[in-house]
């Protein structure tokens, strides 16, 4: 009798435990750690990952595993360990982390096989009269091969062309004239494979210095993270390419993360140009079958580098030598669902655990990364100049407050921008209009002194609520009435401002009826295909005015664009988010770089209510270091990242009163445990209504934990959560925990 074996299964459910099941003897050969399995729970069947196997029973009545999913597949031990870290750090269950880390999720998938037909002896069939020995239909089949002068063909094609029945095929096979065999189908990515080959550039002086440091770390196969700070066009990608080459040469493998794979077909092309089919492309819109084949390619050693979005950071390479995170400051690297991981941070942790070198590249690094470079966690490398010196566009600021007071113009377009657009349209040139819109909070602004009203406790802009004419701080909950005059300068006409792409679209259509206008933002982007269609229309010159949000700042290289207009540089500055200045700076720096990439000089017009705000002034000067210094001083003073760490705890539920009671209870628990455990370094901010107080039918309240380090804060939260769940209070709320939150709305 074989020994009884039991599997610990991590399920994709928010429960902290794993569940034990009996491995039936027929599954014993395929059930191994890392394999995916289907198991009964109550009256359902759910999928999970086997994370442990033992001969010891943990409880009396155990059920059996039903079957193994994707039998060839298993999650590697290194990635199971990484999932354990993720589950602890990001407060999700091990199963939730594994389902995210797994290339196939917890799905059932296998190779696709196709039937082929091979002629045994084509040469002998070429003799005259050879076909006479066969009945007509069988002869048709053989003639098919003769006419094409080929030995084999897919069964489907053969039958389609000749119209013969399965029995004809069987009869021929029985006679030994043909044989039927199976072959796997490669479900590859849709990016071009036959890219013209390129050779490495000779690096310039700055590139050489940066590459030498990376090269040294690679040759020692030692973990190290580099922050490569260089403006667009300074040669960062060339350094990624040469670093990868070095790693591949030594038998290692690499991962290259980009913020949004659909927007960067050029990046894929450049990597395939240098490394051919060793490059795989990974993104969320691949089918399960494509992912499966990608996984096989990796395991077989055919694919040695994966270029992809966020989740490519989990590529199962056994000898990972390099992880590149391009545009590391981009918010798309943070996942907005459980597990709420940040791909840049996971890249660093994975590099540390596997001894891989990590390169974070950006013209405007996240302040967290910049800070890490200055305290010695990362090594800073800079590329201060462009490779080819294209003339920089001329940049003008338009003060919208002055426009309002002097020109009595409260419209979306200043006179200056209007005339500039008209001029470009007449000349048949293309215009990009950019709306810096994040979220949809409203705020109050004084047009005379350019001040908004911020919270006395948090220094964060207060949000304007029409109902009750009140201002609310979404960090600490402080509320007050909208003042009748500006508290700073006494000006009487305070502006109530909000943003809308809708209104911009309507006004554009009205002001420029003859222009061909195209909107492009995350909401209207739709599928990859519709994106590529839009892209083609733009590059063919079928669009006069392109307008949209953040997407326009991401690496578009449109030569014919001569005018970039920024409709509102500063709306984001008033969002109740401590990263507003940073995001505004980085996005303006990038947008300004969009104009005049061709031969004609470009022009950038930035409309703003805050012409003297440092985010805008420093963006005009394209001076990251100056901006970072100012902003870091503020962050230190207001005790926010990178000097302090945050965990956001959001309670979401159906009835308003209930949700706030629950989160208040929870807040009390945090205070009690904080005192008991003597965690004086952890502050608890709130609870307060979230800036988006009501989402659908749900009310949202939030607490923030803040501390210089993560450890104490995570211990405190874990203790309070455990207690809270044990109380089993009525009126269930969903609790969303976000560690190192990026989105403060
Ligand atoms: P980034 O990634 O910083 O935007 P790239 O690596 O794309 O910069 O370089 C910008 C342009 O300069 C590209 O067209 C690239 O092929 C070219 N380039 C990069 N390095 C060199 C070099 N050492 N010599 C000549 N051209 C280079
Ligand atoms: Zn406040």
């Amino acid at each position: 009798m074989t020994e009884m074996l039991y599997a610990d299964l991590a399920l994709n459910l928010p429960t902290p435990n794993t569940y034990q099941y009996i491995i039936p003897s027929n599954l014993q050969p395929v059930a191994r750690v890392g394999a995916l399995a289907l198991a009964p729970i109550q009256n359902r069947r759910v999928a999970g990952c086997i994370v442990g196997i033992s001969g010891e029973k943990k409880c009396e009545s155990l059920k059996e595993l039903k079957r193994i999913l994707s039998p060839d597949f298993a999650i590697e031990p290194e990635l199971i360990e990484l999932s354990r870290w993720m589950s602890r750090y990001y407060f999700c269950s091990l199963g939730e982390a594994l389902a995210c880390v797994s290339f196939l999720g917890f799905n059932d998938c296998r190779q696709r096989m196709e039937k082929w037909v091979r002629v045994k002896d084509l040469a002998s069939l070429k003799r005259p009269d050879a076909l006479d020995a066969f009945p007509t239909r069988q002869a048709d089949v053989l003639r098919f091969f003769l006419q094409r002068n080929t030995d084999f063909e897919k069964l489907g094609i053969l039958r389609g062309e000749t119209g013969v029945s399965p029995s004809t095929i069987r009869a021929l096979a029985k006679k030994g004239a043909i044989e039927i065999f199976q072959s796997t189908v490669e479900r590859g990515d849709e990016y071009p494979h036959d890219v013209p080959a390129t050779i490495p550039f000779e690096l310039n002086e700055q590139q050489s210095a940066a590459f030498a440091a990376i090269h040294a770390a690679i040759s020692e196969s030692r973990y190290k993270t580099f922050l490569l700070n260089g403006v667009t066009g300074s040669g960062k990608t060339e350094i990624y390419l040469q670093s990868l080459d070095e790693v591949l040469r030594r038998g290692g493998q690499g991962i290259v993360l980009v913020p949004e794979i659909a927007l960067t077909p050029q990046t894929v092309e450049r990597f395939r140009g240098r490394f051919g089919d060793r490059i795989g492309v990974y993104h969320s819109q691949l089918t399960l079958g494509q992912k499966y084949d990608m996984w096989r390619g990796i395991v077989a050693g055919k694919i040695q580098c994966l270029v992809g979005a966020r989740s490519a950071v989990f590529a199962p390479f056994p000898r990972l030598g390099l992880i590149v995170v391009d545009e590391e400051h981009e918010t798309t690297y943070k996942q907005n669902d459980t597990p709420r991981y940040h791909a840049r941070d996971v890249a660093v942790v994975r590099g540390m655990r596997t001894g891989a070198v990590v390169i974070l590249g950006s013209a405007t690094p996240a302040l967290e990364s910049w800070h890490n470079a200055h305290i010695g966690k990362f090594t800073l490398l800079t590329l201060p100049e462009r490779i080819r010196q294209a003339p920089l566009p001329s940049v003008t600021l338009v003060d919208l407050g002055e426009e309002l007071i002097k020109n009595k113009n409260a419209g979306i377009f200043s006179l200056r921008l209007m005339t500039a657009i008209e001029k470009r349209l007449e000349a048949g040139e293309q215009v990009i209009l950019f709306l810096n819109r994040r979220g949809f909070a409203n705020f109050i602004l004084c047009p005379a002194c350019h001040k908004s009203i911020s919270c006395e406790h948090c220094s964060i802009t207060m949000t304007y609520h029409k109902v009750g004419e009140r201002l609310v701080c979404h960090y600490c909950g402080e509320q007050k009435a909208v003042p009748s005059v500006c508290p700073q300068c006494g000006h009487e006409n305070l502006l109530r401002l909000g943003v809308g792409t809708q209104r911009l679209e309507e006004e554009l259509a009205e002001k420029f009826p003859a222009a061909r206008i195209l909107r492009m933002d995350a909401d209207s982007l739709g599928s990859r295909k519709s994106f590529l269609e839009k892209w083609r229309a733009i590059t063919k010159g079928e669009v006069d005015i392109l307008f949209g949000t953040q997407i326009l700042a991401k690496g578009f290289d449109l030569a014919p664009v001569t005018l970039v207009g920024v409709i509102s540089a500063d709306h984001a500055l008033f969002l109740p988010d401590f990263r507003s200045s940073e995001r505004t700076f980085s996005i303006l720096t990038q947008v300004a770089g969009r104009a005049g990439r061709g031969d004609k000089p470009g022009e950038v017009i930035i409309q703003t209510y805050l012409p003297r705000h440092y985010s805008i002034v420093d963006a005009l000067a394209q001076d990251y270091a100056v901006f970072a210094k100012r902003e870091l001083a503020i962050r230190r003073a207001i005790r926010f990242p990178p000097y302090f760490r945050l965990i956001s705890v959001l309670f979401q539920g159906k009835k308003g009163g209930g949700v706030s009671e629950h989160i208040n209870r929870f807040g009390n628990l945090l205070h009690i445990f904080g005192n008991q455990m003597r965690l004086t370094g952890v502050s608890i901010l709130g609870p307060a209504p979230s800036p988006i107080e009501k989402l659908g039918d749900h009310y949202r309240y939030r607490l923030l934990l803040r501390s210089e380090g993560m450890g104490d804060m995570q211990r405190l939260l874990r203790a309070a959560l455990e207690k809270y769940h044990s109380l089993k209070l009525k009126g269930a709320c969903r609790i969303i925990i976000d560690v190192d939150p990026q989105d403060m709305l």
Side-chain angles (χ1 to χ4, degrees):
M1 209 189 105
T2 50
E3 180 196 4
M4 280 295 264
L5 284 178
Y6 306 95
D8 292 318
L9 209 59
L11 303 176
N12 187 4
L13 298 172
T15 53
N17 319 328
T18 56
Y19 295 83
Q20 205 178 34
Y21 290 91
I22 299 166
I23 306 177
S25 52
N26 65 320
L27 295 186
Q28 284 196 7
V30 276
R32 61 218 144 103
V33 170
L36 308 178
L38 197 66
I41 185 165
Q42 283 141 14
N43 297 321
R44 296 178 298 148
R45 285 178 181 193
V46 290
C49 173
I50 300 178
V51 292
I53 293 178
S54 76
E56 240 164 87
K57 238 179 172 179
K58 285 181 197 156
C59 104
E60 268 316 303
S61 58
L62 289 181
K63 292 181 184 166
E64 286 190 351
L65 290 182
K66 287 292 166 206
R67 61 193 177 88
I68 298 295
L69 304 172
S70 307
D72 315 329
F73 178 81
I75 304 176
E76 289 65 18
E78 184 241 319
L79 290 171
I80 296 179
E81 287 313 306
L82 186 70
S83 306
R84 287 191 201 278
W85 172 80
M86 279 173 69
S87 99
R88 281 193 305 272
Y89 188 83
Y90 289 113
F91 285 81
C92 63
S93 73
L94 177 57
E96 286 171 326
L98 283 164
C100 161
V101 164
S102 165
F103 239 50
L104 302 182
F106 287 171
N107 294 298
D108 198 15
C109 189
R110 45 209 79 203
Q111 275 181 304
R112 188 196 284 166
M113 306 299 282
E114 244 171 357
K115 284 191 179 158
W116 289 69
V117 175
R118 176 165 38 224
V119 179
K120 283 275 186 58
D121 188 0
L122 192 65
S124 70
L125 288 176
K126 285 181 181 160
R127 288 200 306 267
D129 311 337
L131 295 187
D132 295 353
F134 296 94
T136 332
R137 299 306 274 157
Q138 294 181 16
D140 286 347
V141 171
L142 299 172
R143 201 169 297 115
F144 172 89
F145 287 100
L146 280 172
Q147 276 164 2
R148 297 184 183 216
N149 197 25
T150 175
D151 288 69
F152 49 85
E153 184 50 88
K154 286 182 191 163
L155 177 61
I157 293 182
L158 174 68
R159 289 199 42 211
E161 298 275 312
T162 58
V164 299
S165 66
S167 62
T168 307
I169 303 279
R170 270 199 304 275
L172 268 173
K174 218 169 178 181
K175 284 183 187 166
I178 61 170
E179 76 182 344
I180 298 163
F181 66 98
Q182 301 244 351
S183 171
T184 57
V185 188
E186 279 279 335
R187 293 158 287 192
D189 60 75
E190 67 275 44
Y191 286 84
H193 282 263
D194 44 359
V195 182
T198 63
I199 51 164
F201 285 104
E202 193 173 317
L203 299 179
N204 68 23
E205 207 174 304
Q206 284 130 4
Q207 282 175 313
S208 297
F211 181 64
I214 297 170
H215 186 274
I218 291 173
S219 30
E220 290 171 30
S221 314
R222 191 159 43 87
Y223 159 75
K224 200 163 188 179
T225 293
F226 294 95
L227 177 61
L228 182 58
N229 178 211
V231 293
T232 319
S234 61
K236 294 188 295 296
T237 310
E238 185 61 32
I239 290 188
Y240 306 154
L241 288 164
Q242 298 201 13
S243 304
L244 180 63
D245 190 37
E246 201 54 45
V247 166
L248 298 187
R249 238 186 255 258
R250 290 163 192 272
Q253 296 121 6
I255 296 171
V256 177
L257 301 182
V258 292
E260 171 70 78
I261 190 84
L263 299 183
T264 42
Q266 305 101 312
T267 308
V268 172
E269 215 163 278
R270 286 182 70 183
F271 278 82
R272 284 237 163 106
R274 204 65 65 81
F275 304 104
D277 286 347
R278 288 185 283 169
I279 301 293
V281 184
Y282 189 82
H283 56 83
S284 58
Q285 289 185 29
L286 290 181
T287 64
L288 192 56
Q290 283 174 315
K291 288 181 184 172
Y292 180 87
D293 288 353
M294 190 85 68
W295 171 76
R296 287 197 74 87
I298 289 173
V299 172
K302 256 190 348 205
I303 293 173
Q304 288 163 351
C305 172
L306 213 56
V307 178
R310 187 168 64 217
S311 52
V313 74
F314 303 117
F317 289 117
R319 289 179 306 282
L320 191 58
L322 178 72
I323 310 178
V324 172
V325 185
D326 192 28
E327 308 289 348
E328 62 91 33
H329 62 278
E330 280 288 347
T331 48
T332 45
Y333 285 124
K334 173 89 174 176
Q335 174 147 299
N336 270 329
D337 288 305
T338 311
R340 293 168 188 265
Y341 73 94
H342 197 300
R344 181 232 297 136
D345 300 341
V346 172
V348 170
V349 170
R350 200 172 171 205
M352 220 181 272
R353 290 164 158 259
T354 56
V357 168
V358 180
I359 307 177
L360 312 177
S362 175
T364 55
L367 286 174
E368 284 83 352
S369 302
W370 188 248
H371 179 66
N372 278 334
H374 283 88
I375 59 174
K377 275 194 186 168
F378 300 167
T379 303
L380 181 65
L381 304 171
T382 38
L383 300 177
E385 278 160 28
R386 296 220 154 137
I387 300 268
R388 295 189 203 95
Q389 289 289 342
L392 285 174
S394 74
V395 188
T396 327
L397 278 188
V398 176
D399 180 348
L400 287 177
E402 199 180 283
E403 183 83 9
L404 184 77
I405 295 170
K406 272 206 197 135
N407 298 340
K408 304 272 175 273
N409 174 12
I412 292 179
F413 304 105
S414 62
L415 297 179
R416 179 75 210 263
L417 183 55
M418 266 306 273
T419 4
I421 298 175
E422 278 162 2
K423 214 175 80 195
R424 300 296 168 170
L425 291 180
E426 265 164 39
E429 294 170 6
Q430 285 183 309
V431 175
I432 286 185
L433 296 177
F434 176 74
L435 185 70
N436 190 5
R437 186 189 77 120
R438 274 192 69 241
F440 32 84
N442 299 314
F443 62 97
I444 301 281
L445 183 81
C446 172
C449 76
H450 304 127
K451 291 271 180 352
S452 67
I453 296 171
S454 38
C455 172
E456 285 159 35
H457 311 290
C458 309
S459 327
I460 300 278
T461 305
M462 298 183 85
T463 299
Y464 166 60
H465 287 236
K466 245 189 197 128
V467 184
E469 275 288 296
R470 65 203 165 107
L471 290 164
V472 179
C473 171
H474 288 295
Y475 279 61
C476 71
E478 172 87 2
Q479 299 206 7
K480 60 184 175 196
V482 177
S484 54
V485 300
C486 172
Q488 306 280 339
C489 75
H491 186 84
E492 287 182 352
N493 287 315
L494 291 177
L495 298 172
R496 286 150 177 77
L497 295 176
V499 211
T501 349
Q502 200 70 38
R503 193 170 140 222
L504 174 60
E505 188 158 22
E506 285 162 16
E507 205 152 316
L508 272 176
E510 188 191 304
K511 294 242 158 75
F512 308 102
R516 293 162 301 174
I517 298 167
L518 184 70
R519 169 176 167 180
M520 206 142 173
D521 53 27
D523 309 328
S524 71
L525 195 58
S527 65
R528 256 176 54 70
K529 204 166 135 240
S530 84
F531 169 78
L532 287 174
E533 271 160 24
K534 286 182 178 180
W535 171 258
R536 223 161 285 137
I538 297 163
T539 44
K540 274 200 261 164
E542 291 166 4
V543 176
D544 301 314
I545 301 178
L546 176 66
F547 82 99
T549 53
Q550 268 62 351
I551 280 198
L552 297 184
K554 283 182 195 149
F556 270 169
D557 212 342
L558 297 175
V561 174
T562 48
L563 172 67
V564 172
V566 178
I567 298 298
S568 55
D570 37 28
H571 273 116
L573 287 171
F574 300 105
L575 289 176
D577 185 334
F578 69 89
R579 286 195 185 84
S580 292
S581 300
E582 181 179 354
R583 299 240 165 95
T584 301
F585 171 83
S586 115
I587 219 140
L588 285 181
T589 308
Q590 290 171 53
V591 175
R594 298 292 126 212
R597 296 275 190 104
D599 321 324
K600 292 180 205 147
E603 183 183 11
V604 180
I605 297 177
I606 298 179
Q607 305 193 133
T608 175
Y609 284 105
L610 302 172
R612 282 181 288 281
H613 191 287
Y614 64 96
S615 290
I616 290 166
V617 174
D618 292 345
L620 281 190
Q622 308 257 320
D623 198 333
Y624 176 80
V626 168
F627 168 77
K629 200 169 162 205
R630 281 194 235 246
E631 180 66 11
L632 283 174
I634 295 172
R635 296 284 181 86
R636 191 198 287 274
I638 63 172
R639 300 161 68 85
F640 270 106
Y643 297 99
F644 285 75
R645 309 291 294 274
L646 298 176
I647 300 180
S648 145
V649 182
L650 189 83
F651 274 56
Q652 188 170 303
K654 278 248 157 79
K655 276 192 225 92
V659 181
S660 74
E661 270 162 35
H662 274 249
I663 196 162
N664 281 326
R665 275 295 271 280
F666 187 71
N668 287 338
L669 287 176
L670 284 171
H671 282 289
I672 293 167
F673 279 103
N675 286 336
Q676 268 175 18
M677 297 161 79
R678 295 184 199 288
L679 300 176
T680 47
V682 182
S683 7
I684 298 155
L685 312 183
S690 153
I692 304 167
E693 185 172 338
K694 201 168 169 238
L695 197 66
D697 273 344
H698 287 87
Y699 289 85
R700 296 147 49 93
Y701 287 82
R702 193 177 54 196
L703 264 168
L704 269 184
L705 297 181
R706 175 170 72 187
S707 173
E708 269 181 279
M710 262 297 167
D712 283 352
M713 191 154 62
Q714 293 189 325
R715 274 203 299 138
L716 172 59
L717 180 55
R718 200 153 273 134
L721 278 173
E722 204 167 295
K723 179 73 187 171
Y724 177 80
H725 287 306
S726 74
L727 293 176
K728 296 204 183 342
L729 299 177
K730 265 212 181 126
C733 283
R734 207 175 140 217
I735 303 179
I736 299 167
I737 293 172
D738 194 351
V739 179
D740 302 322
Q742 288 291 314
D743 189 348
M744 302 304 290
L745 301 175

